[in-house]
Amino acid sequence: MRHLLNITDLTVDEVDGILKLADEITAHPDDYREAMRYKKLATLFFEPSTRTRLSFEAAMLELGGSVLGFSSADASSTAKGETVTDTVRTVGCYADIIAMRHPKEGAPMAAVQVTTVPIINAGDGGHNHPTQTLTDLLTIRREKGRLSNMTIGLCGDLKFGRTVHSLIAAMAQYEGISFVLISPQELRVPQYIERLMREKGCRFSEAERMEDVIDQLDILYMTRVQRERFFNEADYIRLRDSYILTPEKLIPARKDLSILHPLPRVTEISHKVDADPRASYFRQVLCGKQVRKALIMFLLDPKQRGEA
Amino acid sequence: MNIDSIQNGIVLDHITAGSAMRIYRYLHLDDLDCSVAIIKNVKSGKQGKKDIIKIDEAMDVDLDILGYIDPGITVNMIRDGAIVEKRRLAPPKRLKNVLVCKNPRCITSVEPELDQIFELVDEKRRTYCCAYCEGREK
């Protein structure tokens, strides 16, 4: 039985296989309408989400499966004090696969110790969000036609932004990747991420102003400064508007730049940018559903892993 | 000092000088009924000074804990007055319920029944990370 807690749980070949399967399902949706018939996905969301939960549910429904679950801790026995492990043990009796989001880091790792069905980490606090990373990889591959030899700018909250950490870990596996880290001093990437980039031999540089580096980028990955990651409201208000992408800032950028964002956005991308063909973030949302279909099949169907 | 003064038991040799009491506590040696000798600052050719612990009873020693605290220790198993086994230690790959994660965002901070699991991530620096949140030991 396989789980997905961290993007590095998958080999580069497995990631490529999932991305190819996503493309195959997208090209021939009729061939996969019954692929997960009689299978049930449980979405255990101890923390609110729009895209991640609904994309998982849409993905399973489009594969012919069904879904059950809850969308906040208040709507589950967690409100009565039940532990994550007891909840997962229970839900494993009802469902064939579990996608879980939890505000505490490492909650899916606790789930894996007791589960009888595959666990997908749909976000654990500020730690990992591997299905967002698969979404990002599919988007980048579709937008650029490759996953190697490019310069990726990551902008905004690089300290608490779990999507940034997972994306760096994933892209560092490919050849010729350079990172440009654009953030205020307070929100720089953690040391372990810097160490990871060094270990993988990636080039990286840091910048405080988007304008100084935007012309170098093939990908600009914008992130939200997340209120829930701050202990202090004053710090949140001071930093949230530091890095706002506008049409003016895009003038020196490359014509083939792709702008990604895990969404939801607050103020960091002006709505005026949406009409720019380089804005890829709504195409990215669609990739999220398609790659989750492929992941569900990868975890539930041994043939997709070359095991049967 | 000769180890043959023990008939059946364990001698922890080559303990870094000054670490013997820490090991005594980690191994809960105060719970034993048998004789336990802590010998501090023994002259050593290799180390200059070392500590030694002698336990006058056969017991299961948690080698993971010892390997984590002081991987230079030699564990001598004594039977009928002779060394029957000599074990050299290495930092363990995984520690269970030895360290406690200090990250307030970690799941272990709210679900205390979970085992505290740490994994060796840097053998050279002997750095361990929480298996749940990947926070480093402090």
Side-chain angles (χ1 to χ4, degrees):
Chain A
M1 183 168 55
R2 291 284 300 270
H3 310 283
L4 179 63
L5 305 191
N6 187 330
I7 192 66
T8 52
D9 294 345
L10 298 169
T11 65
V12 173
D13 285 347
E14 285 172 336
V15 168
D16 288 343
I18 290 169
L19 302 185
K20 277 182 191 145
L21 180 59
D23 284 340
E24 162 68 17
I25 298 170
T26 306
H28 306 103
D30 286 346
D31 294 350
Y32 293 89
R33 275 197 212 293
E34 301 278 302
M36 290 290 112
R37 197 175 172 199
Y38 305 127
K39 298 285 186 188
K40 291 185 291 266
L41 164 77
T43 50
L44 310 187
F45 276 61
F46 298 87
E47 189 180 64
S49 151
T50 304
R51 261 155 298 277
T52 307
R53 184 172 63 84
L54 294 183
S55 66
F56 265 115
E57 295 184 358
M60 192 56 164
L61 293 171
E62 288 183 18
L63 292 170
S66 33
V67 295
L68 63 156
F70 52 82
S71 57
S72 79
D74 296 344
S76 74
S77 286
T78 306
K80 299 175 195 163
E82 186 172 62
T83 61
V84 170
T85 46
D86 280 1
T87 304
V88 166
R89 220 186 267 253
T90 303
V91 174
C93 300
Y94 312 142
D96 300 287
I97 185 166
I98 292 172
M100 66 179 285
R101 169 169 290 188
H102 198 283
K104 289 291 180 186
E105 299 173 8
M109 167 73 183
V112 159
Q113 292 174 22
V114 298
T115 188
T116 51
V117 300
I119 299 285
I120 301 171
N121 179 7
D124 58 333
H127 187 216
N128 283 317
H129 194 0
T131 61
Q132 181 64 50
T133 309
L134 287 173
T135 302
D136 299 340
L137 295 177
L138 183 63
T139 312
I140 292 170
R141 210 175 69 139
R142 285 188 180 173
E143 297 284 322
K144 312 304 290 183
R146 64 184 192 281
L147 285 173
S148 54
N149 301 311
M150 64 179 86
T151 301
I152 303 171
L154 300 136
C155 180
D157 175 5
L158 309 187
K159 183 177 182 183
F160 298 109
R162 60 191 168 195
T163 58
V164 168
H165 305 161
S166 294
L167 182 59
I168 290 174
M171 290 302 297
Q173 308 283 335
Y174 294 91
E175 289 288 314
I177 299 296
S178 300
F179 296 105
V180 180
L181 309 167
I182 310 158
S183 74
Q185 284 294 321
E186 293 92 331
L187 296 177
R188 290 175 58 199
V189 290
Q191 280 185 350
Y192 81 93
I193 294 291
E194 280 193 16
R195 197 161 35 238
L196 184 149
M197 289 187 286
R198 282 199 194 93
E199 282 167 8
K200 295 287 178 186
C202 297
R203 287 187 301 274
F204 69 94
S205 59
E206 292 181 274
E208 285 204 65
R209 283 159 41 92
M210 194 193 304
E211 299 91 313
D212 296 341
V213 292
I214 198 164
D215 59 329
Q216 305 167 18
L217 308 177
D218 297 300
I219 301 284
L220 173 58
Y221 195 92
M222 296 292 298
T223 62
R224 176 167 61 102
V225 178
Q226 296 183 71
R227 186 190 294 261
E228 62 266 32
R229 304 284 169 238
F230 281 81
F231 289 124
N232 182 324
E233 181 75 6
D235 281 348
Y236 166 71
I237 291 167
R238 185 170 57 85
L239 293 168
R240 72 173 172 188
D241 292 335
S242 302
Y243 296 86
I244 297 175
L245 184 63
T246 60
E248 293 72 35
K249 284 189 185 141
L250 275 169
I251 291 169
R254 292 179 184 168
K255 295 283 173 263
D256 63 348
L257 172 74
S258 288
I259 305 160
L260 275 67
H261 190 302
L263 302 181
R265 69 174 151 183
V266 187
T267 54
E268 62 277 9
I269 301 181
S270 158
H271 284 260
K272 291 179 190 158
V273 174
D274 296 359
D276 191 306
R278 293 172 288 188
S280 310
Y281 32 90
F282 287 108
R283 296 193 288 277
Q284 189 181 359
V285 173
L286 190 58
C287 287
K289 182 186 71 176
Q290 291 163 345
V291 88
R292 285 180 178 102
K293 282 186 185 178
L295 176 65
I296 290 168
M297 289 191 60
F298 175 84
L299 292 174
L300 279 183
D301 181 357
K303 273 187 288 187
Q304 300 298 337
R305 304 194 297 270
E307 291 175 9
Chain B
M1 187 169 285
N2 292 325
I3 56 167
D4 58 10
S5 54
I6 286 179
Q7 281 304 300
N8 292 294
I10 296 166
V11 174
L12 307 178
D13 199 359
H14 303 116
I15 299 170
T16 303
S19 299
M21 280 312 293
R22 194 166 162 227
I23 288 163
Y24 182 88
R25 282 192 295 271
Y26 263 106
L27 295 179
H28 303 290
L29 298 183
D30 49 344
D31 294 345
L32 296 177
D33 279 336
C34 66
S35 310
V36 176
I38 296 173
I39 308 155
K40 296 187 69 173
N41 299 325
V42 179
K43 277 185 190 160
S44 160
K46 274 188 203 164
Q47 292 166 275
K49 278 194 298 184
K50 65 179 181 179
D51 291 355
I52 299 172
I53 297 177
K54 295 186 175 192
I55 305 161
D56 196 13
E57 187 176 275
M59 64 172 278
D60 287 331
V61 173
D62 189 332
L63 297 179
D64 282 353
I65 290 181
L66 282 184
Y68 166 67
I69 300 173
D70 193 348
I73 293 174
T74 307
V75 181
N76 297 305
M77 316 299 264
I78 314 295
R79 203 169 298 147
D80 299 325
I83 299 175
V84 292
E85 194 181 346
K86 199 182 259 284
R87 290 193 196 168
R88 302 207 188 278
L89 303 179
K93 301 275 180 223
R94 197 175 167 90
L95 287 170
K96 195 168 162 184
N97 297 326
V98 176
L99 301 170
V100 174
C101 185
K102 303 283 195 323
N103 175 8
R105 294 186 172 96
C106 181
I107 186 69
T108 57
S109 70
V110 289
E111 300 211 352
E113 83 292 348
L114 290 170
D115 284 326
Q116 292 274 350
I117 301 168
F118 277 73
E119 282 164 356
L120 183 64
V121 290
D122 186 338
E123 206 155 337
K124 221 168 155 187
R125 296 192 181 107
R126 282 203 281 146
T127 310
Y128 286 84
C129 265
C130 171
Y132 298 91
C133 70
E134 296 179 83
R136 305 220 155 205
E137 61 170 320
K138 296 266 167 32

